[in-house]
Amino acid sequence: SRMVRVKAANEKVTANVLKDHVVIVGFGLNGQNVASAALDSGIRCAVIDPDIERAHKAQLIGLHTLVGDATNIHMLEKAHVERARVVVIAIADAVQTKQIVAAVRTLSRTAHIIVRTRHVHELQANFEAGANEVIPEEFETSIEIFHRVLRKYLIPEAKIQDLVAGIRND
């Protein structure tokens, strides 16, 4: 039928566009920040989010958007994870996060997987599932507080950045 042909043609167009792109799982605040930085840098993006309104937000700024659950491997295939350079997973659910990391790994050995977690104790399990970088929220927040404290003491910004980089490397 004609509909099937149109759908197949659209899939092909998507496949050509999505190469060396970033796949963002979860279009909350973290996902949105990553997406706008990527867009500013001319990096192509695909977004997966089960929430219709958030997905719509992603679509409005011109991102290739999929509405659905990224623990479903077909969703990841539709986002062409196998050809992505980076996959950012920024969702609230710790169990789903690990499932998605593992699923991404089955599709790609090379994708650089960055995970945003709520807690430091989730680091290990995500690394074991195949993540390259895990950034715990509580850690980031503490750096932010530290940053603001130093600013109040009129420490120069460059010096603060050095200190923050030192903490991150620890």
Side-chain angles (χ1 to χ4, degrees):
S1 76
R2 202 183 101 68
M3 273 313 293
V4 174
R5 276 203 309 277
V6 170
K7 193 165 165 27
N10 287 345
E11 280 292 312
K12 225 187 218 111
V13 169
T14 302
N16 291 337
V17 173
L18 292 179
K19 254 191 211 100
D20 207 35
H21 56 300
V22 184
V23 176
I24 299 170
V25 177
F27 204 62
L29 204 57
N30 289 311
Q32 289 169 32
N33 289 339
V34 172
S36 61
L39 285 176
D40 288 348
S41 318
I43 298 165
R44 288 179 290 242
C45 274
V47 169
I48 304 173
D49 196 300
D51 182 272
I52 301 274
E53 274 167 28
R54 291 211 297 214
H56 186 62
K57 212 183 229 180
Q59 233 161 355
L60 285 177
I61 59 172
L63 301 172
H64 177 72
T65 309
L66 297 159
V67 182
D69 175 3
T71 59
N72 178 339
I73 202 132
H74 298 302
M75 268 291 148
L76 296 172
E77 286 171 342
K78 278 186 180 162
H80 294 285
V81 159
E82 77 286 353
R83 281 204 306 270
R85 184 184 295 202
V86 179
V87 178
V88 175
I89 304 166
I91 59 172
D93 189 301
V95 176
Q96 285 187 357
T97 296
K98 286 181 290 250
Q99 289 171 340
I100 296 165
V101 172
V104 169
R105 263 301 158 249
T106 63
L107 293 173
S108 170
R109 299 304 313 151
T110 57
H112 189 81
I113 303 174
I114 301 173
V115 176
R116 187 97 162 86
T117 64
R118 286 274 163 94
H119 308 292
V120 172
H121 66 79
E122 287 154 19
L123 280 167
Q124 198 49 43
N126 280 292
F127 283 128
E128 281 166 16
N132 298 93
E133 290 184 62
V134 185
I135 306 165
E137 215 168 76
E138 53 191 13
F139 180 56
E140 279 297 301
T141 311
S142 62
I143 285 183
E144 186 54 39
I145 292 166
F146 167 78
H147 200 147
R148 283 163 194 241
V149 169
L150 291 183
R151 230 184 277 155
K152 285 290 171 218
Y153 287 96
L154 305 181
I155 310 277
E157 188 62 31
K159 175 86 177 127
I160 297 176
Q161 292 302 342
D162 286 348
L163 292 166
V164 166
I167 292 178
R168 285 216 168 93
N169 291 337
D170 279 358

